[in-house]
Structure formats: C-alpha cells, structure tokens
Amino acid sequence: MAQTDMDSGEDGGGGGEPEVIAKASVLGGFTESTEIRALISSLPVVHESIVTLESAIERFLVIMDRYQEQPHLLDPHLEWMLNLLLELIRSEQSPPLLVHLGFKFLYIISKVRGYKIFMQLFPHEVADVQPVLDLLCRQDPRDPETWETRYMLLLWLSMTCLIPFDLSRLDGHLTSDPSQTREPIMDRILAVAKSYLMVTDKSRDAASVLVSKFVTRPDVKLKRLGDFLDWSLTTISQASDQTMGGTVILDGALQSLCYHGTSVCVCSSAPVVLQCLDQCHVAESSQAMLRKLGVKLVQRLGLTFLKPRLAKWRYQRGSRSLAANLSLSQSGSTVKAVSPDMETQSQEEDYDIPEEVENVIEQLLGGLKDKETIVRWSAAKGIGRVTGRLPRELADEVVGSVLDCFSFQETDNAWHGGCLALAELGRRGLLVPSRLPDVVPLILKALVYDEKRGACSVGSNVRDAACYVCWAFARAYEPTELKPFVTQIACALVITAVFDRNVNCRRAASGTFPYGIDIVVAADYFAVGNLNNCYLSISVYIASFPEYTRPMIDHLVAMKINHWDGVIRQLATKALHNLTPQAPDYMSTTVMPQLLPIALGIDLHSRHGAILASAEISHALYKLANQNNRPVTDCVLSVSCLCPVCVLSVSCLCRGFGGELMRPAVCSLIENMSVSKMPFKDDPVISEFSYPVSALAALCEQYYQPQPGMADPQMQEVLVSQYIAGLKSTEVLTRCGSALALGSLPRFMIHGKLHQILSGLQQSCSQREVCFTEARRDAAKAMAQVCVTAGVSAQGGSDSVVCEGNVSAVYRALLDCMTDYTLDSRGDVGAWVREAAMTSLMEVTLCVVGTAPQLLSPGLVNGMMCSLAQQSAEKIDRYRAHAGSVFVRLLHSNNPAVPHIPHREELLAIFPTEGAEGLNWNAPSQAFPHITQLLRLPQYQYHTLLGLTVSVGGLTESTVRVCSPVSLCVCSSVSVANVALCLVSVASCL
C-alpha cells in the first residue's frame, strides 16, 4: 500500500500546492521463501522441544502475517509449501504431534491466503477420499489443541468429494468381506459433516463448506438431499438460541443451508425452509450471527423463487466487456447508457412473481434496520440481488420502501441500512436516473447525520455509508445524469472530508470533486487523518475555490459551532476565523447577525459556540480592516451594535447554569473585542467584566487607560481592591482567580499599588491549609508575574517597582513556598507550590540580575541555590527535573551572571556548560550521581542530604537504589559515619 503523508502544518491557502512526501511500503514479493522452506524442513526436529517448537511457530506466524494485505504474493509458493507439509503429514514415521503441527502450519497459510483459494490446491483424486475421511474420523472433536487439524481435514475432504464419479463405486471393495458390514462412503461423509456442524470451534465453518459442496453432487442430491433438509429443519425447529449449545447448533444448521443455498434449496423445498425460518423467529434472535445467517438464507431463498436473469430495464453505463470499452476509448467514441425499449421490457417482465417473494423482501427490509452492522450489510446485498430479478414496477416499489428508511422517526440503524441498500442498488444499475431527484437530497442529509445520545453521538456509520453511496453513484452513472446534483454532492463531500469528527468519515469522503486534482492533493486519505490540519489548514485551501466557500461557512455555523464535542466547537470557531478573509462581507452581514440569537438561546452548547465564533470572526475582521488601513467599524458592520448586547446577555447566563463552560468563552470574546479595539470605551457594559483573567490585560489596555501609561484611578482602585479581597475568600477557586488576575494586570494598573498587591500575595502564600494548596500555587506564580511586569529599579519606590525595600520580602515568601510538603488524598500536592515557586524564583532572579544585580544579597542567593539543590534531589521525577533545570539555568546565566552563588567554580565542574543539555534529570541513574557530588560542598551538604533523605524513603525502587547511603559514599567523599549522623540529625529535625 502506498502511503502519502502531508505535513499537518502546511498552509494550503498560500496558492501553491502543499509538499507531498510519498512513502512506499508495498512488498515486492515473497522474500522469505528460503527461510520458510528451512523452517518447514526442521519441524521433525524442533517439535521434540517445547521451546524450539514455540519459537518455530512464532517465526512462521510473523512471516506470514506480513502478507495479510498482499496475500497474492504467496500464490507462486503455495504449492511447494503445501507439498512439504503434506509429506510430513502422510509420513508413517511422523508422530501425532508432528502431524498436528503440519496441519497448524497449513491453517496459518490458509488464514492469510484465504481458504477458498488455498483449499483448491489440496490433492483431490479418488485415492485421497478414504485416507482423508479415515484420518478425520480418528480425530477427537472435543480436543481444543488440535482444532486446526480438523478444520483443514474438513476443507480437504470438501475438495476430494468433488470427484466426478458416483460415490457408490467406492463402496464395492469395502463390502467384499461378507462378515463385515461397512457404512457407505456417502453416509460416512454426511455423518461426519453433521457432527462437526454442532461443534463450538472453527471446524463448524469448514463443515458448512463441506456440506455445501457435498450435497450438491448429483448422486447425493438424488439420494440424501431430502433427508439432509429434513434434518436441518428439524434441528432449527428444536434448537433454542437462549442457550449456548442451542446457539451453536442453530449456527451450524443455518450455515449449511446458506452456503450455495440457491442450489440446495430447490424451488420445491424453498417454501418449506422459508416457513421454518418464520416459525422459529430467527430474525428476532438475540444473537447477531444467527440474525445475519437468517437474512443471508432468506435472500438466497428469494433468488430461488425468481428466474436467474439480469433485468433488462437496469441502467447500464458502457459495455460489460473491457475490450469493447477500450476499443471505443481509443477510437474517441463514447459509450452511452443503455435503456431498452418498452416492448423489450414488457416481454421480459411478462411472468408471475411467487407470493413468497413479498415475504422475502419484507424480511430483507427489516434486516436493513437491525442493530448490528453485519446484518444490515447482508440485508443490503440481498436487496440488490433480489431486486435485480424483479420487473421494473416491482423493483421501483422496493426502492420506495428503501427510501422510507430515511425518516427522522427512524433510528440511525435504519439510515445506515438504507444507505448500504442504495449503494448496492446504484452499483448494480437498479436505481434508475429518474429516481435521483428523490435520492440525492436524502444522501445529502445522511452525509451530515449526527444524533446526540447521552455523552456521545451516533451517526458516524451513516455518514460513512453515505460517502459509499456517492462513490457508487459516481461509478454507476454517466456524468450527464449526475450533472444537476454534482455541485451539491461535491460540497457535501468536501465538508465531510474536512469537518467530520470521525476520521473514517473524513477518509471515506476524500474523493472526486470540482477542482478534484488540486483538492485531492491537499485533502488526500492521509492528510485528512489529522483533525486540526483539516479544520485549520486544508479548509482554508479548499475555501479558496468559490464553489465551496459559503457552503463550508454555512455548515460550520449550522452544524459545528453547536456540536456536542467541545473540541469540535472550538476548532469550528478557529476555522471561521481562518475563513473570514475568503468572504469578509458575508461574515459581517450574514453570519454575525445569525450568531446573535444563537448566543442568547437556551442551548448551552449553541451559546458557547456562538460566543466563541463571534470572538474569532470579530478579530479576523479587525485584522482585515487593519491591513487595509480602514476603521474597524467599516468591516465589522454588525458587531458594533450586536456584541455589547451579546456580551451583557451571556454574562448573566454564564453566572448560572453552564458557567464553567461559558466563562472562558466570554473571556475569549472580551479579549478579542479588546484586541480588535472595538469602540466600547464609554459603554457601561465594560465595567461588568472585571473578572475574566485571560481577557483582563487586553481589556485594561484598551478601555482602562485614558492616556498611555496611566490608569483610570477609579477602575484601578476597584479592580485591585476586588482582587486582594478575593485572596481572602473561603472559596479556593476565588482565591486562584484573584491571584491570577493580579498577575495578569498590565504595568500601569500595578503602578502605585505594588506594595498592596505583593502583601496580599505573600499573605496568601503563607496560609498552609490543605484546602488552599492551589491558591498558594497561583499566588506564587502571580508574585513573579507582578514583579516582572512592574520592573526593577534599585532607587525606585516600593509601591511601583521591585527595589531594595521589597525584594527581600518577595524572596522570603517564595523560599517559604519551597518548603511546602502538604499531603492529602491526592498525594504530595505541596509539589505544585514548590514547582511554581522554583519557576517564580528563576523569573524574578533573571529580571533583577538584568537590571539591578546589587539588590541580590549573598543570603538571598545562598538560600535560593540551597533550596534548589534540595529539590534537585526530589523523589518525583518531574519536580526533580524542573528543579535541576532551574538550578543549572541560574548557574550558567552569564548575561550578566547571578552574583554570590556559593562554590560557583566547583558547581561548574560538576555541571559543565557543554554537558548540561545532555543531562536527563528525569532519570535517577543520571541525576543522582551529579547531585550527590554536592555533598562535598559545605554550603549544600545539609539541604542535599535533606532531599536525598526524602528520596530514600520513596516507593520507587530505582530512586531508592541510586540515592541510598551506600551510593552516597561511592559518589562522594562523605564517610558512612558522617552520613549516618546527618541522617539522624535530619530525622530529628523532621
């Protein structure tokens, strides 16, 4: 199979074709023939040892499984492999284990190549009948280890029983001894087949094949067919699908009738079999396989009631002869669809249809609505086969019944079965062109069929089957027949190929469209496998063709921004952002007014998607206006009046039901409105949105800054006071939100309030209650964000910048967070706080060093580096890696360097600059040999031992092993006695 991979990040909207990389993964031939020959030849030796035996079987399986997708490559080698294995099986010196092993290898080959082809290679001469039958009779049907032997023997026997001689001739020499009475070969084979139809393993399938070939022999049909049918019908009538044994019996009996059922069930017995199926209610069985076999048998019974012919009224595209088509194409002629004249049709259809056909069609139509795909698929094929033998008028009634499946009162199963049936009818030319105006609208609905069921949806199989219908129609009809519908079908297929949630549907829909070559290159089978690539890249390229632009936008607005899957809603809104440059006027004048009532509706998912879509489209329109040096109100005609109402209404909704989902959407809207510089500065609605953290910075920049660098004093006081008060709330989420909001404030909002803000954050960090762990984490993050935003100045005021008056308090608070080892049912939740504190220390330190390094005293730097060394010995890989990376980053910082780092030269020797990037801190075996070297350095010894002590007490064996006291002695110069004393002192401190 040739694979084509396209970079998911390739932007198809740039006008050029995306780069396509072809990777060939096809096999050129059976390259392991020599190894397979040697493997088979070694079986007499390797079977004596269980180890070598399992190794040989596994190797044979691995080689054969490579050819599952290209089994035809085995064809030139099948005969010699079969002969080698049969030679082992037939040898009198072969023990039973070797014989069974030979049949096991035969089964593996037949599984890969397919039994229908492989069984034809078995020897099938008269001399083979008796030995194969005798060997099969000697097998134990209940032995679970040798089922492959029985399976292959049944297939072999099904070939030998096809000899062109009356089987009674084989009985002559068997009864030459008058003292012995031997059962005839015919009866023996039939008895064996019946017995294996009742077993629970795969031999039952092979027995069905044997029956289908055996009872269709002229001599057997004459003498035993009636008795076999009586036995089968009696078995079906007496068995019950409510038990496991009954299900197995029914399965075997139905399979035996299904295989070549049109030959087995002659017209005289077909009504009896159909009546038996009705009485046993096979169609109502709880077992899907039994229902499938029932449908399969019913369709074959239906074919026996009808003349074996091809309907003359069917639509025929071209000639059935490939040579005729090729000759016409070379001569430049065209082949027109064939439609016979009415007189010919009348003569052809002048015959009676048995009453049983109506029952057959009714059952097949019921099978289209079955809850299992295998049943629906079998019923669809049956509809196509039976309809092909009906007169045109009756066939049209069948088509009408199939179209009744496409009702919104029907389940997704009926829609799926209806699509499969239409594809079969179209593929066989049984759906005449006059029916296309009725069929195409239903297929277009099926291409977007999606029904919500609980926490998920159903309909992907319907959409996939609808793509199959389109594929079948494209190959069944002349282009002139499909011309009135091609634009609708193409748009629907493109939309499915790009925007469907299910990858199978996207791949099924990627096919032939207007501008087909260009689109297929961008949206081929492999490119549409990536959902993000489809929505954000491929869609932009396809929308550049005007035929698809508006249909794609309309589909996103109508079907995707209200989708039950939040990921799809978000991707749809981002896709609308990317598609806005293709149709800006349509977005502004048509789409945006459509979004307003949706945003104010009662459906939560629709509100969420509409708000996100309004935000993305508004921002995209602003960027277009900015590129053209036009006011934003010129491009965003409706947003200026619609969005304030939308935002106000949704803000009321999001505080109630669905707030967790709606609040981020409203934040996104506010952020995009602010970034887009919408003229809402004096609108009272702006004051309502002081809570969204992600949008706060953009909101303040646009609406709370009367002059550049100067905050609105009233709003500054309101916001800062509100958030500092939130840091003392009893709700942890309120504390988290308030801390993050303070961290996101722009510089002009912090100016004059820095002392107040830092004091509130430091107080929040110091409260060690378990329930406020997340609040301490976010406060530690916010402290660094505030410091970096405010800036550093050695001579500045403590209310405006980081200076000598407040830098020590910031470091003390963050270093205190480094000692947070809070535990609860979730584990070491204090690690969240320590991780945030490490990141904040690094950010603040690099900021201070870059502007006023004199603010860092030796004590502050010593405490920071020692705490990081302790965390670098952490038992949890993630936090150890984070601490180690921060430690090395500060150590290697040289623009300028961090001052007052204790033992800098020794540390650079342990962590050299050139090897720092290659050190894997996540691996204890790599990290701890470096960390334990810190024990040589007096400043780091205590904190390193403290971290190692925690790691030694951990549950991870690899961590405990590499940081055990013995390892410490090996990796450092500290004696065992000193280590023991340190551990005792640390334990006493703890």
Side-chain angles (χ1 to χ4, degrees):
M1 182 175 63
Q3 294 184 349
T4 303
D5 294 336
M6 186 179 72
D7 184 4
S8 62
E10 185 75 36
D11 187 358
E17 291 187 356
E19 180 181 0
V20 176
I21 303 174
K23 296 181 180 179
S25 61
V26 295
L27 299 172
F30 186 53
T31 58
E32 296 90 350
S33 59
T34 304
E35 183 180 358
I36 289 294
R37 190 183 294 271
L39 198 59
I40 295 175
S41 301
S42 68
L43 291 182
V45 177
V46 301
H47 86 280
E48 298 175 353
S49 170
I50 187 65
V51 176
T52 55
L53 174 61
E54 290 183 353
S55 176
I57 295 174
E58 181 64 26
R59 181 56 186 162
F60 193 76
L61 276 170
V62 168
I63 293 175
M64 285 297 165
D65 285 346
R66 290 187 62 202
Y67 298 89
Q68 288 276 14
E69 295 185 2
Q70 297 173 271
H72 61 277
L73 297 178
L74 299 177
D75 289 351
H77 308 273
L78 290 176
E79 190 170 353
W80 66 258
M81 286 192 287
L82 175 66
N83 292 335
L84 284 177
L85 291 168
L86 287 182
E87 184 179 348
L88 291 176
I89 292 169
R90 287 170 162 172
S91 175
E92 296 182 356
Q93 284 75 34
S94 298
L97 180 60
L98 182 57
V99 172
H100 292 310
L101 184 60
F103 279 113
K104 188 180 187 71
F105 275 46
L106 286 176
Y107 169 74
I108 294 171
I109 298 173
S110 71
K111 180 191 69 172
V112 175
R113 189 59 188 99
Y115 79 89
K116 292 182 180 179
I117 292 178
F118 187 64
M119 66 184 291
Q120 298 175 14
L121 301 177
F122 275 115
H124 46 275
E125 299 177 357
V126 175
D128 296 311
V129 177
Q130 186 67 37
V132 174
L133 181 58
D134 290 342
L135 183 57
L136 180 59
C137 291
R138 292 197 297 268
Q139 304 303 312
D140 181 6
R142 295 182 298 273
D143 186 357
E145 301 295 329
T146 60
W147 64 267
E148 295 100 334
T149 300
R150 302 190 293 275
Y151 178 83
M152 297 308 301
L153 282 172
L154 286 165
L155 292 181
W156 192 357
L157 185 60
S158 68
M159 288 301 301
T160 59
C161 73
L162 295 179
I163 56 175
F165 304 104
D166 195 308
L167 290 178
S168 61
R169 297 186 179 184
L170 301 180
D171 299 332
H173 70 281
L174 297 177
T175 58
S176 59
D177 187 356
S179 62
Q180 296 181 356
T181 58
R182 297 290 298 275
E183 190 178 9
I185 289 287
M186 185 182 298
D187 293 343
R188 290 183 64 196
I189 293 176
L190 203 56
V192 167
K194 288 180 180 179
S195 66
Y196 278 101
L197 285 174
M198 307 302 174
V199 298
T200 57
D201 55 40
K202 194 171 177 61
S203 303
R204 184 172 68 251
D205 300 339
S208 302
V209 177
L210 172 60
V211 167
S212 69
K213 295 185 178 297
F214 184 66
V215 299
T216 53
R217 287 177 53 93
D219 53 344
V220 178
K221 184 185 296 186
L222 180 64
K223 299 177 182 179
R224 296 289 184 268
L225 177 59
D227 294 339
F228 178 77
L229 286 176
D230 290 341
W231 174 84
S232 298
L233 297 180
T234 302
T235 301
I236 293 172
S237 301
Q238 295 177 350
S240 170
D241 66 339
Q242 301 302 313
T243 63
M244 181 63 71
T247 300
V248 170
I249 293 173
L250 282 171
D251 184 279
L254 289 173
Q255 277 199 62
S256 66
L257 294 177
C258 284
Y259 280 102
H260 300 281
T262 51
S263 300
V264 174
C265 303
V266 293
C267 289
S268 59
S269 59
V272 179
V273 178
L274 184 61
Q275 183 180 5
C276 178
L277 290 178
D278 291 340
Q279 292 173 350
C280 296
H281 304 289
V282 175
E284 301 172 7
S285 172
S286 59
Q287 302 295 324
M289 183 55 68
L290 296 183
R291 298 198 304 276
K292 182 233 181 183
L293 291 173
V295 167
K296 190 173 184 179
L297 180 56
V298 163
Q299 64 169 282
R300 299 200 175 193
L301 291 172
L303 294 177
T304 64
F305 296 122
L306 299 168
K307 292 181 179 180
R309 68 186 187 95
L310 288 174
K312 295 297 183 181
W313 55 265
R314 75 190 189 281
Y315 179 86
Q316 301 179 62
R317 178 181 181 180
S319 173
R320 294 180 63 85
S321 169
L322 179 61
N325 285 334
L326 290 176
S327 62
L328 287 170
S329 64
Q330 291 172 357
S331 64
S333 303
T334 58
V335 182
K336 295 184 178 180
V338 178
S339 298
D341 55 67
M342 296 301 296
E343 182 179 354
T344 305
Q345 292 185 32
S346 176
Q347 295 175 356
E348 184 69 26
E349 297 178 6
D350 188 17
Y351 68 94
D352 294 332
I353 303 298
E355 295 179 359
E356 290 84 359
V357 173
E358 182 178 355
N359 183 12
V360 168
I361 293 176
E362 183 179 353
Q363 293 196 41
L364 292 177
L365 290 172
L368 292 179
K369 303 177 183 180
D370 194 272
K371 62 182 180 180
E372 295 294 337
T373 300
I374 56 173
V375 182
R376 298 194 295 271
W377 184 233
S378 183
K381 290 189 288 187
I383 289 287
R385 288 167 180 157
V386 173
T387 306
R389 295 189 181 184
L390 292 175
R392 178 167 184 168
E393 183 179 351
L394 295 179
D396 192 66
E397 292 182 9
V398 174
V399 173
S401 298
V402 171
L403 296 183
D404 290 339
C405 294
F406 296 91
S407 167
F408 283 101
Q409 282 75 38
E410 295 287 356
T411 65
D412 60 296
N413 297 329
W415 280 70
H416 181 248
C419 285
L420 295 178
L422 287 179
E424 283 295 313
L425 293 171
R427 196 169 60 86
R428 297 170 184 268
L430 305 175
L431 197 64
V432 294
S434 60
R435 272 290 192 177
L436 288 178
D438 301 324
V439 172
V440 171
L442 297 177
I443 299 305
L444 296 179
K445 292 180 181 178
L447 282 170
V448 294
Y449 185 92
D450 194 14
E451 291 291 327
K452 184 77 162 48
R453 296 280 177 84
C456 59
S457 70
V458 295
S460 61
N461 58 341
V462 178
R463 302 191 299 274
D464 185 78
C467 295
Y468 172 50
V469 176
C470 296
W471 174 89
F473 283 8
R475 284 151 181 79
Y477 296 101
E478 288 290 334
T480 54
E481 304 287 359
L482 290 176
K483 187 175 181 179
F485 316 103
V486 70
T487 302
Q488 301 174 58
I489 295 175
C491 290
L493 283 174
V494 164
I495 287 168
T496 302
V498 177
F499 294 138
D500 200 282
R501 180 176 182 269
N502 187 275
V503 63
N504 291 332
C505 297
R506 296 199 301 275
R507 286 174 167 170
S510 58
T512 304
F513 326 98
Y515 307 101
I517 299 299
D518 295 331
I519 292 177
V520 168
V521 168
D524 69 354
Y525 180 87
F526 299 98
V528 298
N530 186 308
L531 189 63
N532 286 347
N533 187 43
C534 287
Y535 271 83
L536 306 181
S537 179
I538 298 176
S539 65
V540 177
Y541 176 73
I542 296 177
S544 63
F545 301 104
E547 287 84 351
Y548 302 115
T549 307
R550 291 193 178 183
M552 292 175 71
I553 293 172
D554 292 339
H555 175 79
L556 289 172
V557 174
M559 303 294 297
K560 289 298 185 284
I561 66 170
N562 58 358
H563 197 273
W564 63 271
D565 189 343
V567 174
I568 297 297
R569 294 197 299 273
Q570 293 181 2
L571 284 174
T573 59
K574 292 178 181 177
L576 286 171
H577 175 100
N578 293 345
L579 296 180
T580 298
Q582 307 285 355
D585 293 337
Y586 185 69
M587 287 289 195
S588 179
T589 60
T590 304
V591 175
M592 288 298 291
Q594 290 178 5
L595 294 175
L596 177 61
I598 301 176
L600 300 176
I602 61 174
D603 183 73
L604 178 61
H605 292 158
S606 299
R607 292 204 319 266
H608 179 251
I611 291 297
L612 290 175
S614 299
E616 294 290 347
I617 295 174
S618 301
H619 190 208
L621 290 172
Y622 161 74
K623 289 194 291 186
L624 287 175
N626 196 38
Q627 291 172 5
N628 298 321
N629 296 320
R630 297 168 57 192
V632 66
T633 52
D634 287 358
C635 286
V636 195
L637 299 177
S638 59
V639 177
S640 59
C641 60
L642 295 176
C643 283
V645 180
C646 180
V647 170
L648 180 60
S649 302
V650 175
S651 69
C652 299
L653 291 170
C654 74
R655 288 171 181 157
F657 174 71
E660 183 177 355
L661 185 65
M662 292 300 299
R663 277 191 289 270
V666 175
C667 293
S668 176
L669 179 61
I670 297 170
E671 182 177 13
N672 280 280
M673 291 292 181
S674 302
V675 172
S676 302
K677 300 181 180 179
M678 294 296 173
F680 303 149
K681 183 168 291 187
D682 298 325
D683 199 303
V685 73
I686 298 302
S687 61
E688 296 291 327
F689 294 102
S690 57
Y691 63 88
V693 173
S694 62
L696 185 58
L699 185 72
C700 293
E701 292 279 359
Q702 182 62 27
Y703 301 115
Y704 299 156
Q705 189 177 198
Q707 297 179 9
M710 181 179 297
D712 182 334
Q714 181 180 358
M715 289 307 302
Q716 182 187 30
E717 180 64 31
V718 170
L719 288 183
V720 173
S721 300
Q722 177 183 346
Y723 295 140
I724 292 178
L727 295 174
K728 302 176 183 178
S729 172
T730 57
E731 297 291 335
V732 64
L733 291 180
T734 303
R735 290 193 176 202
C736 292
S738 299
L740 294 175
L742 289 171
S744 65
L745 289 174
R747 183 171 186 176
F748 63 86
M749 295 294 287
I750 296 175
H751 187 77
K753 299 288 184 179
L754 180 60
H755 177 72
Q756 187 179 356
I757 293 172
L758 289 178
S759 298
L761 293 173
Q762 291 162 10
Q763 184 178 1
S764 181
C765 288
S766 64
Q767 297 181 359
R768 290 295 182 94
E769 290 88 344
V770 176
C771 60
F772 293 138
T773 304
E774 292 91 340
R776 294 196 297 276
R777 174 200 62 197
D778 292 340
K781 291 180 181 178
M783 203 178 306
Q785 294 172 342
V786 169
C787 291
V788 172
T789 302
V792 179
S793 176
Q795 307 300 325
S798 60
D799 216 21
S800 300
V801 294
V802 177
C803 59
E804 188 176 359
N806 54 23
V807 67
S808 298
V810 171
Y811 272 82
R812 282 196 303 269
L814 293 176
L815 290 174
D816 185 59
C817 290
M818 296 277 279
T819 63
D820 193 327
Y821 284 88
T822 305
L823 298 173
D824 68 2
S825 59
R826 297 169 291 181
D828 183 8
V829 294
W832 304 341
V833 184
R834 300 198 302 274
E835 182 183 33
M838 286 185 275
T839 304
S840 296
L841 279 171
M842 179 182 67
E843 293 175 353
V844 173
T845 301
L846 294 178
C847 182
V848 172
V849 167
T851 305
Q854 64 272 25
L855 294 179
L856 294 178
S857 65
L860 293 178
V861 177
N862 179 73
M864 175 180 64
M865 298 302 291
C866 288
S867 295
L868 289 172
Q870 176 181 329
Q871 298 303 317
S872 298
E874 166 68 55
K875 62 181 177 181
I876 303 176
D877 294 345
R878 170 184 168 181
Y879 302 113
R880 178 178 64 250
H882 186 62
S885 63
V886 172
F887 185 91
V888 172
R889 172 79 181 279
L890 294 176
L891 175 64
H892 293 159
S893 177
N894 55 10
N895 193 23
V898 178
H900 313 304
I901 294 181
H903 304 288
R904 179 189 295 273
E905 298 302 324
E906 292 89 338
L907 291 176
L908 288 174
I910 299 172
F911 303 103
T913 305
E914 59 274 8
E917 294 182 359
L919 177 59
N920 183 6
W921 287 94
N922 282 298
S925 59
Q926 293 189 37
F928 282 106
H930 290 79
I931 290 299
T932 51
Q933 295 184 53
L934 298 180
L935 295 172
R936 301 192 185 105
L937 309 177
Q939 293 283 358
Y940 298 102
Q941 191 175 85
Y942 173 82
H943 288 87
T944 305
L945 273 176
L946 187 59
L948 290 171
T949 303
V950 176
S951 296
V952 168
L955 299 177
T956 306
E957 181 182 354
S958 60
T959 304
V960 173
R961 182 174 63 251
V962 298
C963 66
S964 63
V966 175
S967 298
L968 302 186
C969 297
V970 172
C971 298
S972 70
S973 60
V974 182
S975 67
V976 174
N978 287 337
V979 171
L981 289 174
C982 290
L983 291 176
V984 171
S985 63
V986 171
S988 63
C989 293
L990 294 176

